[in-house]
């Protein structure tokens, strides 16, 4: 018994050092098309893992569909027991899995770390007739079906934000004309091409288009005015809605405690790398690093909260 305990102690002590050993190839699943938030986080993390000398090469796989469920299913099926693989997921995934009654769930993967968060922003094209949030909401109240609002996957944080806005201005969310996109690239193309009236996404994903004057930012989903983001909040414009989008990473099913600890150490080291910090600053990401059991507790609470919202707003199938 003493020998067994000693062996376990030694293995746990060695786990942090194992994380520092250079891995030949590391895989990251981004369950969406290229160009969106999941893809950006996956590639930024991959670069940071390499820059910090922890891995030699990183393969980022994109598998869009069903709000991340298809990518998650592929990850679960293909990477079982693989200690050198991560799945990117977040608030969007929580909502989409609940809405779509998905056959896969977070109980099938290993929570590793919540990495970052960002506020959502509501934008219209630069040529849009809607100059303010008040203009857009007035048109929406007059004829909800005629004002299409795009965003991420159905049931994700963008969809929930649009539904909450609808409810706050007195329109049944069932009347919302929401257009879901599998990737940020498609959504941005749609708003730039005036194919939709408005678009919701993370501020970081749209910051360049906003600063370039290609889209007009009408509202930010923050709880209060942000000193470094010159966009009025929904709250200060009379629409009492506050949401933020978080993203994290999950290990494969079937990995052991030492392998999970090693992954956590790798991620903690990576987010200290200059390459990660530079991208985080560029994309206006909020530092929300949370790992292990603490992250698992947050995830459990997030799933319960989201399930209640989806049920209330009748977003579920």
């Amino acid at each position: 018994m003493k020998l067994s305990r000693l062996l376990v102690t030694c293995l746990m002590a060695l786990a942090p050092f194992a994380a520092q050993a250079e891995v030949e190839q590391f895989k990251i699943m981004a369950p969406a098309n290229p160009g969106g938030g999941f893809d950006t986080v996956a590639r930024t993390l991959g670069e940071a893992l390499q820059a910090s000398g922890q891995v030699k090469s990183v393969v980022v796989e994109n598998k869009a569909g069903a709000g991340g469920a298809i990518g998650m299913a592929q990850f679960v099926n293909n990477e079982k027991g693989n200690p050198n693989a991560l799945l990117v997921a977040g608030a969007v995934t929580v909502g989409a899995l609940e809405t779509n009654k998905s056959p896969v769930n977070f109980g099938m993967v290993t929570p590793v770390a919540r990495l970052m968060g960002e506020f959502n922003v509501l934008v219209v094209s630069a040529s849009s007739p809607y100059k303010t949030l008040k203009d857009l909401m007035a048109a929406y109240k007059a004829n909800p079906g005629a004002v299409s609002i795009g965003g991420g996957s159905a049931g994700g944080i963008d969809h929930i934000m649009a539904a909450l806005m609808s409810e706050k201005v007195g329109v049944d969310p069932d009347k919302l004309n929401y257009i879901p996109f599998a990737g940020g690239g498609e959504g941005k193309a749609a708003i730039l091409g005036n194919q939709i009236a408005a678009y919701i996404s993370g501020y970081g994903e749209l910051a360049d288009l906003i600063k370039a004057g290609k889209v007009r930012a009408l509202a930010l989903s923050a709880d209060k005015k942000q000193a470094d983001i010159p966009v009025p909040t929904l709250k200060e414009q009379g629409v009492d809605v506050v949401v933020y989008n978080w993203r994290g990473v999950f290990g494969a099913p079937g990995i052991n405690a030492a392998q999970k600890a090693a992954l956590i150490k790798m991620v903690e080291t990576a987010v200290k790398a200059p390459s990660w910090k530079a991208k985080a600053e560029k994309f206006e990401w909020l530092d929300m690093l949370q790992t292990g059991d603490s992250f698992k507790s947050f995830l459990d609470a997030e799933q319960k909260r989201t399930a209640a919202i989806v049920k209330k707003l009748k977003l579920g199938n």
Side-chain angles (χ1 to χ4, degrees):
M1 184 63 73
K2 289 183 178 179
L3 182 59
S4 177
R5 282 201 299 267
L6 178 61
L7 180 59
V8 171
T9 301
C10 289
L11 285 172
M12 293 303 291
L14 286 171
F17 294 99
Q20 297 303 314
E22 192 173 36
V23 175
E24 283 291 328
Q25 187 177 85
F26 199 89
K27 297 175 74 173
I28 303 178
M29 164 63 73
N33 288 329
F38 285 162
D39 181 67
T40 300
V41 169
R43 295 182 190 281
T44 300
L45 181 61
E47 290 168 7
L49 286 167
Q50 289 179 287
S52 56
Q54 299 185 90
V55 303
K56 285 188 177 180
S57 67
V58 177
V59 174
V60 174
E61 294 185 80
N62 292 92
K63 192 68 176 180
I70 292 177
M72 180 182 282
Q74 180 173 306
F75 182 79
V76 168
N77 292 332
N78 295 350
E79 306 303 336
K80 185 176 181 180
N82 183 358
N84 298 317
L86 287 171
L87 165 74
V88 178
V92 168
T93 321
V94 175
L97 294 183
E98 183 66 32
T99 302
N100 296 318
K101 301 294 185 280
S102 174
V104 292
N105 58 64
F106 283 106
M108 298 178 179
V109 291
T110 305
V112 171
R114 183 182 68 185
L115 298 175
M116 43 67 71
E118 61 183 336
F119 297 117
N120 270 355
V121 65
L122 173 72
V123 303
V124 295
S125 71
S127 60
S128 171
Y130 309 120
K131 306 298 183 184
T132 66
L133 179 66
K134 184 178 179 180
D135 293 342
L136 180 67
M137 291 294 95
Y140 175 72
K141 288 180 72 174
N143 189 352
V147 180
S148 55
I149 300 177
S153 301
I157 194 69
D158 305 335
H159 193 178
I160 288 175
M161 174 175 156
L164 288 170
M165 288 173 60
S166 181
E167 186 178 57
K168 290 295 182 181
V169 299
V171 178
D172 189 324
D174 283 351
K175 295 181 180 179
L176 183 66
N177 181 8
Y178 184 79
I179 312 297
F181 294 97
E186 295 173 18
K188 285 184 266 190
I191 192 64
L192 289 171
N194 287 299
Q195 295 167 17
I196 51 178
Y199 182 61
I200 297 172
S201 189
Y203 178 78
E205 293 177 48
L206 295 172
D208 287 349
L209 293 181
I210 293 169
K211 292 171 184 176
K214 294 183 178 180
V215 295
R216 183 183 305 121
L218 300 186
L220 193 71
S221 67
D223 56 341
K224 59 185 177 181
K225 181 75 174 178
Q226 300 297 297
D228 57 342
I229 301 178
V231 180
T233 67
L234 288 163
K235 280 188 73 172
E236 66 184 293
Q237 298 180 84
V239 181
D240 192 9
V241 173
V242 176
V243 298
Y244 67 86
N245 193 3
W246 62 269
R247 297 186 181 94
V249 285
F250 297 77
I255 62 173
N256 60 38
Q259 291 169 330
K260 176 182 175 181
L263 278 175
I264 290 173
K265 185 67 176 177
M266 289 180 76
V267 170
E268 289 176 337
T269 300
V271 298
K272 293 175 184 175
S275 64
W276 175 274
K277 290 182 178 294
K279 284 288 181 69
E281 184 175 348
K282 175 185 177 182
F283 293 123
E284 312 272 358
W285 288 346
L286 304 172
D287 182 2
M288 297 182 68
L289 184 64
Q290 186 180 46
T291 61
D293 292 341
S294 178
F295 175 44
K296 174 66 165 57
S297 295
F298 163 81
L299 179 64
D300 290 344
E302 185 80 347
Q303 288 177 283
K304 290 177 183 177
R305 181 184 73 91
T306 302
I309 293 174
V310 167
K311 183 178 180 180
K312 179 181 178 183
L313 300 178
K314 304 172 185 175
L315 297 177
N317 292 329

